[in-house]
Every structure is written in C-alpha cells, then in structure tokens.
Amino acid sequence: MAKILWNVDEKKYNDRNAHTLILTGWATEQGNPALTFFLQGDGEGISISQPERFDRADVARSLSELGEVRDAGFTLKIPEILTLAEKYTRLEVFLSDGSEKEVIFSSTGKELKDFCMDCLMEYRIDKEQILGKNTLLVEGWVLDQQGSDEVLVEDRAGKPVKCTINRGRRPDVEEERGITASGSREIGFSVQVDLEETGNKELLVCFKGPKTQKKYLVDVRKLKKEKSVFYQRMNLLSIENKDANRAYIKEKGLKEFLHYVATYQPDSVSVDYEEWLKSHAAGRKELLRQKKTVFKEKPLISIVIPLYNTPEEYLKELIDSVRAQTYTNWQLCLADGSEGLETRAFLNKKYRKENRITYKKLKENKGISENTNAAMKLAAGEYILLCDHDDVLTPDALFHIAKAITEQKADVIYTDEDKVSMDGKHYFEPNFKPDYNLFRLRENNYICHIFAFKRSLLERTGTFRPEYDGAQDFDLILRCCEQAERIVHIPRVLYHWRSHMNSTAANPESKRYAFEAGKRAVEDHYRRLGIKAEVEMTDRPGWYRSHVAIDGEPMISIIIPNKDHIDDLDLCITSIEEKSTWKNYEILVVENNSEQKDTFVYYEELQRRYNNVRILTWKKEFNYSAINNFAVRESRGEYLLFLNNDVEIITPSWMEEMLQICQQKGVGMVGAKLYYPDDTIQHAGVVLGLGGIAGHIMCKANRDEIGYMGRLVSVQEISAVTAACMMMKASVFCDAGGFDEELRVAFNDIDLCMQVRSMGEKIVFTPYAELYHYESKSRGLEDTPEKQLRFGKEVKCFKRKWERDLLKGDPYYSPNLSLKEGDCSLRKEERNGEYHA
C-alpha cells in the first residue's frame, strides 16, 4: 500500500480569472505529515502556490484506520495554464512527503488546450419530456465563460427547427459558480417544440458560444415510447382488465404474466392528465349556471399580487383569467416594484375601464414580502387571496371559494393546482391535495396555491415577514392555520402555476435560501405552539424532518398475539431487544391456542432470556380484537404498541419515532412503514374506500419511491393504520372502548382508527419507523366457506358502523384519485364533466 493516499475528484478551468486550471481532491498520509505540491513542465520545475487545504469528513471516515485525518482536502490553482500548455509538451503535478512522491495529474499541452476549450462552455439538461401528445419540453442551463451563449434547435441534417425558447436566471448555478448579482445573466433555458409540425424523430439542442459549440441529442421516439409504455402498463394492471388478466394467468402462469406486463410495448398513450382535465373542468353550461347563482352572502375577495418586471403577456393572461371569473365580487390589488413604468402604461392602455383593479407603483423594490404587504394594504375585501404575478386562475376559482366561505363559514381556503408550460398551452403535474393535514404541512408546504384567508386573521398573525423571504407564503400559511377555526380544502384544480426554469416549481434547487427560510418557518411554528422540536432539511429540497423532544421516559407495552410460529416470534422479539434504542418497555406475548410442545418450551426460554417479557394465555377461540383487549387489561404501559409476531425491526429508534408523535396533544394513534421481504411497500397508511372498504396505499411500490406528492416519505395525518405495528395512548384506547370484538379478524384495526378519529384524535403515519412484515403467516388466507362467511359478516358490520364516512370519502385522499387502484393514479369516472368532490 502506498504511503501517500490521494484522489483528484474534479478538474476545472476558469477562463475569467487568470486562465486558471483548478484541481480539487484529497491527499493524506498516516501521521498527517506536511505534503508538498509541485509542478513540472517537461521535467523542469515551475513555481506554483501551495493549495488551500481543508477537512474532508468523508475521507476521515473511510480512512479511520489511519487515526485522525486532518485537512485532507485540497484545491490547487495553476494560473496561465494556456501559456504553459503552449510552452511545454507535457505538464505534471507531483505530491511529495519529502521522501516519496506521487504523480496526481499529467497531461500533454495539446490535451490541456483541448480540455480548457471544452470547459469554456458547460450545460446541464434538467428535464426532457413529452407534454400532452406532441410537445417536447427541454429545460436546463448553459454557461459560456467568455460571455454570450445562444440556444437553438436543429435536426440531424443541421437545419433549424421551429421552436419556442425562453431564457431565465438560475440563482442556484450563479451561487455555485460564484457569479455576482451585478454580473448575472439569463443562463437558464426552456425549449418547447411542436412535434406535430416538425415530425422529427431526433432533435439536437445546440449551444453556441464565441469559441465553443456543443450539441445535445434528444431522442423523441424514446421519450414518446417511455410515456406510452408507462400508461399502458398501468392500464394493463388496472382492475378493469382483471378478467382478462386472470385468464392469461390461468393459461400461462403468474410469472409469465408479470413478464408480459414488464415487456409490453404499446402503440399509444391511453390516458394522460390533459385529457382528464378537459373532461373534468367546468364546461360552458356549468360556468353559465355559476354566473346565475346568488349566494346569501357575497363576500368581496381581494386578490393581492406583487409585481416585479412581469412580462406583459403573462400579466395579461393572469388579469384576463381574473376578469373571466363567474363570481364577480372581486378586487385585484397590484403593487408594482418594477424598475420602470412599463407596467403602469400597459395597465392604463388595456384595463383603464376596469374599476375592480387597484394599482400602486412602489417607490422601490423591497422584496417579495414587503411588496405583497403593500398590495394587501390596497385590499378592501373581507377575504384575501394570494396569487403570483404570472400564474392563471380557472374561471370558476372564485365561485368555489365564495361557496366555501358562505356555506362552510371557512376562514382559510386552499385548492388543488397543476403546472402550466411557459407558453400556457400544456398542463401537467397536478397536485391533488388532502384535506387539512397539519403534520403533512410541517413536512412541506403542500398547500401552496390557491391560498385564501379571512382578512381578520391578520390581526392575530401579522402580515408577511421579510426575514422569511423565499418561504414567506409558507410562514404565513402556518400562522394562519394555527389561528383558523375552519380550514376548507376544495379538491379541484383551480390554479395553474407557470413552470419557469428558475422557479421552485420547475427546479427546486434554484432557491436554496427559500428552503432554509422554510426550515426557520417550521421552527418558529413549533415555538409558537410551545413544542420543543428540532427541524432539519432533508435531501429533498423544500422538505423538512422534525425531531420532537420526548417528555419523560414513559413505559410502552408491546402486545404480540402468537400461535406457534416460534421462528417468526423469535425473530420479532430478538430484533426488538437487540436493536431498539428505547429501553422502557415491556413485551406481552399473548399465547393463543398453540398446539406444538416446542412453543411452550420456547416461552419458558424467552422469559429466562428477557426479564421484560411476559406470557399471557388466551384460552378462548381466536378473536383478534378480544385477544388484544385482554392483553391491554394486563398491560402496565402509558402507551400501547400493537405488533404482529411476523415483523422484524429495521429502525433502532422506531419506538422514539412513533412516541414523539403519539405523545403530542390531539394525536391518538401512530402507524409505521412496513416492507415485504423483497423491499416493496406493505404498509404506508390506509385509505378509506380503497378497494371497497379500506386498502393500503401504494402497496408493492419500491421501498425507495417517494410516492405521489411524497406521501411515502412524509409524516402525515391519515384515516387509518394497520395494527401490525400501531402505537396509541392507553387512555385513548380506553376512551375508544378498545377493539370491537364483533370484528374477530378483519377491519378491527381500521374500525378502532375510525373510532379514535370520531373522538377528535388524529391518526398519524411516520415513514421514519421502518419494519419488515412477513404478512399474516399465522392466520392464513380467507380460503374456506366458513372464513368467507365470517369475512362477509365483518364487512357488513364495518359498513353499518361507518357508512356515512365511506360515502363522504377519505379526507386525506383526493376524490380525483382512483379508489380502484392503490397507486394514486387518476380517477377515470366522469359525471357530466364535473369533479367527484
């Protein structure tokens, strides 16, 4: 093994700063002796400055056997590299400890000149996709060090292709490259090509600078095929095809069927969002009906918008969408922080007769928060609606908001939304949101647009705060929701968010400062509520993880029913005892009519091995509800943790993760994230009505998937969780009356969740408590007439108790998503062009 250990991670060329070659990496040696860098050209020494050295925690961890590793990182800068490349045939960088030396960089002069020329221009493609059926969208950034750069599209023959190209700023790249605000330019790009006009199967996005040209090949056929395959495979697996699927499986087997689905090559896309939107948006007759509707009250809704250098075409589209509203009692408040007077001239020319528009030219641009506050000062309405300066409202947006105000007495209202392309022609990425979900909101600002609220709330919350610029809306939403008495979600897409290449809508990394402000907003929210919590930013920009301090060291009673299956039980208990970091717990194994002698021998051994394990004996026939109720009466814990005998702990802090949520006021029950042995999702929350009664959402999704709107990776309030791993307050269990013993096998955990929710307590799912679940090995399938008869009775029992809730639908699952599939796909049923809300 060499004494000197090193690696060059990155080579860069900076043309603007002394034509400098920059080498970044790490280097160290046992004992951390001083290492010297030197440069030679054709064997001749060349004077250079020693590099900047800094700690590299990753290197220190991987080389821990060397002892303490300090200042392993380096950034070596070699100025005037082009002159050196012209003078010398070969240049080499050496690293020496005084006795040994290593060559860490070697290049010919020609190779160096070619490398530097190539580095003059760099680009990155962030997105390439087909919008609708025939529009290609390519987004990214390009930066040429010598000044201007041009983006255009060509075919393979080099002929120009008609397209729409928009340029915009990319603050994320500016920050990374050290580009100052005064020197910033529009390095972001968004390209849209109408493929119906071009008919090209391949296109080249071309980047041209003063000295360098680069091209990126877009395989249009591949993009279309991928989109088509995705929808068709989803369609193949849908419930509508179940009879055909069963016949195929019967004839050729399950393995062959799954292979068929995985390799199926369809001809066309069966369903996409734009088609769905057309069939679900309010039609002409519905809009006419809305215009004729007379509400008992007619609240004035003030739409407040800060303007800043807003392109006229976008502002016109926004204002026209407001003027097209079927509800007419509105006021549009515009506070303009732009540099010139063009916006004022545009408004005077186009809308001088529209007396519902209030405009103020600000003396200076004070940022998004202060500019929005200035717009709010213009508001005369009882309700305020927030909107961005280049987005679009659907014509029925204010009608449904006014309806929620007058009929439901809402003081906070939010709606669903989607994204619209820069040219306003294509709609994609709909956000079908849950009803108000505080725990989900703490993870990420899922509410976003539209957000409207009663003006009087501002007296208690205050207005926008400049210190939260970038997340100023998130901060205000949290404060308003804390004070609101009635928060109403309208499950309709009423807002189209224009997707800029430099906005968080299109490129989350472009506004890191905004996500840091969001973290502070969540921390401030906890402080106002008197909850001790630490908040961290996650790997997903704009998403946060909360660590709530646990009050005291309460005992947790873990209840595990068991009949034989001692291998499963041993794996379960051993994983609890050996992995769990929470120590104040007891384990109650409820023996349920085991038949094998080895089981009872194992019980005795188990109690000798662990002094916190007790064996309880249930002598009656199997009844899951009665067994657990019996165990609870024998428990000593302040918290109950119901657990299947066929689970294995993954997360050492699983009990802490659940307890920190369960102990919070208003929370009655917490569920965990469970995986099948093949690392697919078994449980990430239960949706009421899915599959008829209730079903596990995103079941069989890959463990690494984030799920629709991040639901697989978010702490969130839901309707129900599985008792395979379910924690609840013992006091709440008692108040709810325990498990319903009429539900002997099925739906007893869902029923208990429903009972807890009916008491006003929340059910919360956390993805941070992870377990393997080997899925109902003990009980088996509903495969006999007796079991099927019992199951039918339990279905009827559940429906009898919760019929009204089943009809209303799951408040945490959008009515626009399928109840036939568990994958959060679009709901296909239609009713006279209207939503199913």
Side-chain angles (χ1 to χ4, degrees):
M1 179 177 176
K3 290 174 61 180
I4 302 174
L5 303 175
W6 60 273
N7 189 64
V8 175
D9 298 327
E10 185 178 25
K11 300 185 286 289
K12 294 191 294 186
Y13 170 66
N14 190 326
D15 189 71
R16 293 165 296 171
N17 188 7
H19 309 295
T20 302
L21 175 68
I22 304 169
L23 305 179
T24 302
W26 60 269
T28 190
E29 189 178 49
Q30 188 162 13
N32 291 295
L35 297 174
T36 304
F37 293 74
F38 57 95
L39 174 66
Q40 287 186 356
D42 297 336
E44 175 186 331
I46 303 171
S47 176
I48 57 170
S49 299
Q50 288 301 299
E52 174 191 352
R53 300 303 300 270
F54 48 87
D55 281 333
R56 282 282 297 267
D58 57 331
V59 175
R61 282 194 300 270
S62 63
L63 299 178
S64 57
E65 71 275 7
L66 299 182
E68 185 181 4
V69 177
R70 301 185 305 274
D71 294 334
F74 69 80
T75 299
L76 178 66
K77 298 180 179 180
I78 307 174
E80 302 304 335
I81 193 65
L82 293 178
T83 302
L84 295 174
E86 191 70 37
K87 181 177 180 181
Y88 297 102
T89 304
R90 178 169 291 277
L91 288 161
E92 295 176 301
V93 177
F94 292 87
L95 180 61
S96 174
D97 63 357
S99 60
E100 290 189 6
K101 66 179 182 180
E102 293 274 347
V103 180
I104 67 170
F105 174 79
S106 178
S107 175
T108 67
K110 183 180 184 307
E111 289 170 343
L112 258 181
K113 286 187 284 185
D114 291 343
F115 171 77
C116 294
M117 186 62 63
D118 186 68
C119 287
L120 287 177
M121 175 183 284
E122 57 182 322
Y123 71 86
R124 186 174 70 206
I125 304 298
D126 294 324
K127 179 188 293 185
E128 52 179 326
Q129 67 183 88
I130 304 296
L131 298 178
K133 292 183 177 178
N134 284 298
T135 297
L136 171 68
L137 171 68
V138 182
E139 290 185 343
W141 58 265
V142 57
L143 177 62
D144 190 286
Q145 296 191 46
Q146 293 194 333
S148 61
D149 40 62
E150 182 184 6
V151 181
L152 48 91
V153 179
E154 297 176 351
D155 61 19
R156 290 302 293 263
K159 295 180 180 179
V161 172
K162 183 180 178 181
C163 60
T164 301
I165 300 175
N166 290 288
R167 301 298 298 269
R169 284 189 56 200
R170 284 293 296 267
D172 57 326
V173 183
E174 293 171 13
E175 181 180 354
E176 182 183 340
R177 297 297 189 274
I179 302 173
T180 60
S182 60
S184 63
R185 64 183 194 267
E186 295 183 328
I187 59 179
F189 66 84
S190 175
V191 175
Q192 290 191 31
V193 181
D194 188 338
L195 300 173
E196 208 162 344
E197 289 187 19
T198 65
N200 294 97
K201 297 176 181 178
E202 292 180 332
L203 292 171
L204 294 167
V205 180
C206 306
F207 309 101
K208 294 187 177 181
K211 293 184 178 179
T212 311
Q213 294 186 28
K214 293 186 177 181
K215 296 182 179 183
Y216 177 78
L217 176 65
V218 179
D219 190 335
V220 175
R221 288 176 300 183
K222 182 180 178 183
L223 290 176
K224 284 188 172 183
K225 186 177 180 181
E226 286 174 352
K227 183 174 182 181
S228 177
V229 166
F230 173 78
Y231 281 114
Q232 286 294 324
R233 286 180 181 166
M234 292 303 101
N235 190 48
L236 276 172
L237 291 170
S238 69
I239 197 165
E240 285 86 348
N241 291 299
K242 64 180 181 180
D243 293 335
N245 292 344
R246 284 173 179 167
Y248 193 104
I249 293 169
K250 186 175 181 180
E251 179 184 353
K252 299 188 177 181
L254 178 61
K255 185 176 180 180
E256 179 64 28
F257 170 72
L258 294 176
H259 176 74
Y260 166 64
V261 171
T263 57
Y264 183 75
Q265 302 298 318
D267 295 322
S268 61
V269 175
S270 60
V271 176
D272 66 27
Y273 171 64
E274 289 192 295
E275 292 175 354
W276 182 95
L277 183 62
K278 288 176 184 177
S279 66
H280 287 73
R284 185 178 59 83
K285 289 183 180 179
E286 170 59 17
L287 295 176
L288 185 60
R289 183 192 68 80
Q290 291 178 10
K291 288 180 180 180
K292 294 178 179 179
T293 300
V294 178
F295 293 110
K296 291 182 180 179
E297 302 171 26
K298 200 175 181 182
L300 176 62
I301 301 173
S302 293
I303 306 166
V304 299
I305 303 176
L307 304 179
Y308 183 73
N309 295 342
T310 309
E312 286 185 3
E313 63 270 27
Y314 297 156
L315 182 56
K316 179 182 184 302
E317 193 173 350
L318 167 61
I319 294 176
D320 289 347
S321 77
V322 175
R323 297 180 73 220
Q325 293 298 307
T326 57
Y327 180 81
T328 58
N329 195 25
W330 53 263
Q331 175 198 20
L332 183 59
C333 305
L334 306 174
D336 186 9
S338 304
E339 297 160 358
L341 300 174
E342 294 85 357
T343 300
R344 170 181 280 173
F346 169 73
L347 292 171
N348 286 336
K349 179 181 178 181
K350 291 287 296 183
Y351 302 106
R352 61 181 179 275
K353 294 182 179 180
E354 179 54 85
N355 57 15
R356 291 173 293 182
I357 297 178
T358 307
Y359 171 84
K360 181 178 181 179
K361 180 71 175 72
L362 303 179
K363 293 180 180 179
E364 59 179 317
N365 174 30
K366 292 188 176 182
I368 183 69
S369 291
E370 292 292 10
N371 289 359
T372 308
N373 288 340
M376 282 203 283
K377 288 180 180 178
L378 305 175
E382 184 184 355
Y383 281 79
I384 289 176
L385 185 152
L386 304 178
C387 184
D388 290 345
H389 65 164
D390 50 4
D391 296 337
V392 179
L393 303 179
T394 66
D396 55 338
L398 296 186
F399 172 85
H400 289 291
I401 290 170
K403 192 169 185 276
I405 292 169
T406 57
E407 294 183 0
Q408 301 186 60
K409 306 302 178 186
D411 48 4
V412 163
I413 308 100
Y414 67 95
T415 77
D416 292 348
E417 64 188 297
D418 64 12
K419 295 184 178 69
V420 61
S421 58
M422 294 291 289
D423 61 5
K425 293 180 179 179
H426 297 287
Y427 304 94
F428 55 101
E429 293 184 23
N431 276 13
F432 295 127
K433 306 166 188 177
D435 285 354
Y436 181 60
N437 196 321
L438 174 59
F439 282 86
R440 174 66 177 77
L441 185 60
R442 289 168 175 167
E443 300 278 295
N444 165 263
N445 181 12
Y446 81 88
I447 288 179
C448 211
H449 308 108
I450 294 173
F451 183 71
F453 55 91
K454 200 169 187 177
R455 183 195 181 97
S456 59
L457 282 177
L458 294 178
E459 297 171 6
R460 286 173 276 166
T461 65
T463 55
F464 285 101
R465 303 190 287 185
E467 59 268 34
Y468 293 93
D469 270 4
Q472 72 289 333
D473 53 347
F474 190 20
D475 173 53
L476 185 67
I477 286 170
L478 284 166
R479 287 184 282 135
C480 285
C481 289
E482 291 164 16
Q483 297 293 332
E485 295 180 6
R486 179 69 174 139
I487 302 172
V488 173
H489 163 230
I490 302 171
R492 297 170 179 267
V493 174
L494 301 178
Y495 190 95
H496 303 304
W497 187 5
R498 198 178 303 274
S499 183
H500 292 275
M501 78 287 291
N502 66 332
S503 75
T504 52
N507 173 46
E509 285 290 356
S510 67
K511 292 187 178 178
R512 182 172 178 81
Y513 75 93
F515 308 132
E516 291 171 345
K519 172 180 175 289
R520 288 186 278 109
V522 179
E523 290 171 337
D524 205 22
H525 158 74
Y526 280 120
R527 279 194 293 271
R528 288 191 298 270
L529 296 183
I531 298 175
K532 294 180 181 179
E534 294 181 358
V535 180
E536 65 173 285
M537 296 170 63
T538 70
D539 294 336
R540 299 177 302 281
W543 293 73
Y544 310 98
R545 180 176 178 180
S546 300
H547 300 276
V548 178
I550 294 173
D551 186 14
E553 295 183 7
M555 174 178 275
I556 299 171
S557 294
I558 303 174
I559 297 171
I560 309 174
N562 184 70
K563 178 181 179 180
D564 295 318
H565 290 277
I566 59 176
D567 289 341
D568 292 331
L569 181 62
D570 186 63
L571 177 62
C572 174
I573 292 179
T574 301
S575 70
I576 295 172
E577 297 284 1
E578 294 183 355
K579 293 182 180 179
S580 299
T581 52
W582 185 261
K583 298 305 178 184
N584 192 19
Y585 63 88
E586 63 172 353
I587 298 176
L588 306 180
V589 177
V590 191
E591 153 56 28
N592 164 41
N593 298 305
S594 292
E595 299 171 357
Q596 300 171 7
K597 290 182 180 180
D598 289 348
T599 300
F600 297 95
V601 173
Y602 171 74
Y603 287 156
E604 292 180 6
E605 177 194 336
L606 190 61
Q607 291 179 100
R608 285 195 299 269
R609 196 192 316 169
Y610 304 114
N611 59 16
N612 60 347
V613 175
R614 286 190 283 152
I615 308 298
L616 306 178
T617 302
W618 174 258
K619 296 181 179 179
K620 301 178 184 179
E621 65 177 359
F622 178 81
N623 181 319
Y624 181 86
S625 297
I627 288 170
N628 280 285
N629 289 342
F630 161 68
V632 170
R633 291 193 290 270
E634 300 294 324
S635 67
R636 302 166 184 164
E638 186 180 340
Y639 292 86
L640 307 172
L641 206 170
F642 299 99
L643 204 66
N644 276 22
N645 64 349
D646 57 350
V647 300
E648 178 185 0
I649 310 307
I650 298 174
T651 309
S653 60
W654 67 295
M655 280 191 270
E656 291 97 317
E657 294 292 349
M658 301 177 79
L659 182 57
Q660 66 172 285
I661 298 169
C662 201
Q663 70 170 3
Q664 293 182 46
K665 183 179 180 181
V667 176
M669 191 180 294
V670 179
K673 191 174 185 180
L674 308 180
Y675 306 113
Y676 290 112
D678 63 356
D679 282 323
T680 59
I681 303 293
Q682 190 268 336
H683 172 266
V686 172
V687 170
L688 190 65
L690 182 61
I693 299 294
H696 291 198
I697 194 67
M698 302 293 289
C699 189
K700 282 293 186 180
N702 188 278
R703 177 175 179 170
D704 297 327
E705 288 187 35
I706 66 170
Y708 181 69
M709 289 184 64
R711 70 175 300 140
L712 295 180
V713 292
S714 300
V715 175
Q716 63 202 278
E717 186 178 347
I718 55 179
S719 286
V721 294
T722 176
C725 180
M726 181 173 79
M727 179 183 285
M728 64 186 302
K729 295 183 177 83
S731 59
V732 171
F733 183 89
C734 180
D735 292 343
F739 288 100
D740 185 343
E741 296 184 11
E742 186 179 352
L743 297 167
R744 294 170 50 210
V745 177
F747 306 118
N748 36 51
D749 47 1
I750 312 302
D751 173 78
L752 181 58
C753 290
M754 297 297 290
Q755 183 61 35
V756 168
R757 284 183 54 228
S758 72
M759 296 160 48
E761 299 285 329
K762 298 180 186 296
I763 313 295
V764 180
F765 161 76
T766 175
Y768 299 117
E770 299 173 288
L771 299 86
Y772 282 117
H773 184 201
Y774 300 101
E775 184 64 68
S776 302
K777 287 182 179 178
S778 303
R779 184 169 56 84
L781 302 173
E782 312 288 1
D783 54 1
T784 68
E786 292 79 12
K787 288 182 178 181
Q788 291 168 356
L789 177 62
R790 186 265 311 148
F791 180 77
K793 288 180 179 178
E794 290 172 347
V795 168
K796 290 179 181 178
C797 175
F798 188 90
K799 285 184 175 180
R800 183 185 72 245
K801 294 180 68 174
W802 306 110
E803 182 178 14
R804 182 175 297 180
D805 296 87
L806 286 167
L807 289 172
K808 285 171 60 179
D810 191 319
Y812 307 112
Y813 184 75
S814 174
N816 301 312
L817 300 177
S818 174
L819 283 173
K820 293 182 179 179
E821 322 298 337
D823 58 358
C824 296
S825 55
L826 288 171
R827 190 171 182 174
K828 300 175 187 177
E829 303 93 328
E830 299 174 17
R831 185 189 300 158
N832 299 325
E834 287 299 299
Y835 285 88
H836 294 277

